[in-house]
Amino acid sequence: EDPNIFIDTNVTGTLNLLKVARDMKLQRFLQVSTDEVYGSLEPDDPAFDENNSIIPSSPYAASKASADHLVHAFNHTFGLNTVITRCSNNYGPYQFPEKMLPLMFNNARHDKDLPVYGDGLQIRDWLYVYDHCTAIWTSFKNAESGSVYNIGGGNEKTNLEVIKAILSFLDKPESLITHVTDRLGHDRRYAINAEKAMSELGWEPTVKFEQGLEKTLNWYLENTEWINSVTSGDYQNYYEQMYANR
């Protein structure tokens, strides 16, 4: 809706943080990036590795790619000790219901329509939040300055697969699925090759998708007050703006 927000946050914001890190002579600057900087994959393409070209498809992804380039530039120009991690789709407790998994859970528990972009066959690699945290910390402690690591869960799923798993968990009918107009510039597939992180850092994901999904959905069931609190007020305006009249 407003790409300027991404530029302010991810480009200008990252530049300001890099300048402070340089001036304060911080021990290390770790940039949490995203697999979206690589662009989109075809169904039979190999997963992204760190040697893939950066070809972002959306203003958000372009802003994250710009931030990655700034981090590299500060490493090269000023000798700032930097690391970049590029992760796949995260899920887990406390995720704000702008994101697909908690949004679909919240709608399903209220027997509301589940708005699925396009045909719902977009593929994402899913990474449980705990595994992402261990990857960040391991990279921060052990990576060489200037390095880049892909962080993935090895759990490629279509959006429809994830949504149907949520409905099955809640014992809700698939008739709640409602296909809406696809997002502009919606990338078809992301997949992460995390072999470099596993071989060089000794990190690996520990939570399979089915296990992580059950843990996550049980947490949301036990914390409905939290969901209710964050989906009141302005969230309803956001939801209408995103999904009404699609």
Side-chain angles (χ1 to χ4, degrees), residues 25-205:
K25 297 179 171 56
L26 292 190
Q27 174 188 352
R28 165 150 285 182
F29 186 101
L30 189 143
Q31 162 77 354
V32 178
S33 187
T34 169
D35 55 4
E36 292 191 47
V37 300
Y38 294 118
S40 185
L41 290 170
E42 294 299 321
D44 296 327
D45 287 343
F48 295 126
D49 64 31
E50 292 80 359
N51 295 317
N52 275 91
S53 298
I54 300 229
I55 313 174
S57 305
S58 70
Y60 166 77
S63 72
K64 291 294 288 186
S66 299
D68 286 7
H69 286 312
L70 283 170
V71 172
H72 173 77
F74 267 69
N75 174 268
H76 179 78
T77 302
F78 302 111
L80 185 65
N81 187 327
T82 65
V83 180
I84 297 171
T85 59
R86 295 178 178 145
C87 71
S88 55
N89 274 36
N90 278 209
Y91 69 103
Y94 289 106
Q95 189 170 35
F96 188 71
E98 167 228 355
K99 297 299 183 182
M100 187 185 80
L101 197 153
L103 185 152
M104 298 301 172
F105 168 86
N106 194 44
N107 279 20
R109 76 183 179 106
H110 291 300
D111 296 304
K112 293 175 60 177
D113 288 345
L114 276 57
V116 178
Y117 286 127
D119 60 12
L121 298 181
Q122 302 87 358
I123 296 172
R124 300 293 181 263
D125 174 30
W126 292 87
L127 177 68
Y128 189 63
V129 64
Y130 174 82
D131 283 335
H132 189 195
C133 291
T134 61
I136 290 171
W137 184 234
T138 302
S139 301
F140 184 82
K141 290 190 301 181
N142 300 330
E144 291 186 7
S145 178
S147 57
V148 178
Y149 288 97
N150 284 349
I151 309 298
N155 296 302
E156 285 190 62
K157 305 287 181 184
T158 68
N159 288 347
L160 271 182
E161 285 180 278
V162 176
I163 292 164
K164 288 179 179 180
I166 295 169
L167 289 170
S168 176
F169 179 89
L170 294 172
D171 196 24
K172 298 289 186 177
E174 292 184 7
S175 58
L176 290 175
I177 294 173
T178 303
H179 292 270
V180 299
T181 304
D182 206 354
R183 286 168 47 186
L184 294 173
H186 201 182
D187 287 334
R188 196 63 174 169
R189 173 176 171 243
Y190 303 140
I192 280 289
N193 180 335
E195 290 181 5
K196 181 181 176 183
M198 290 189 282
S199 63
E200 294 186 7
L201 301 178
W203 172 87
E204 62 181 27

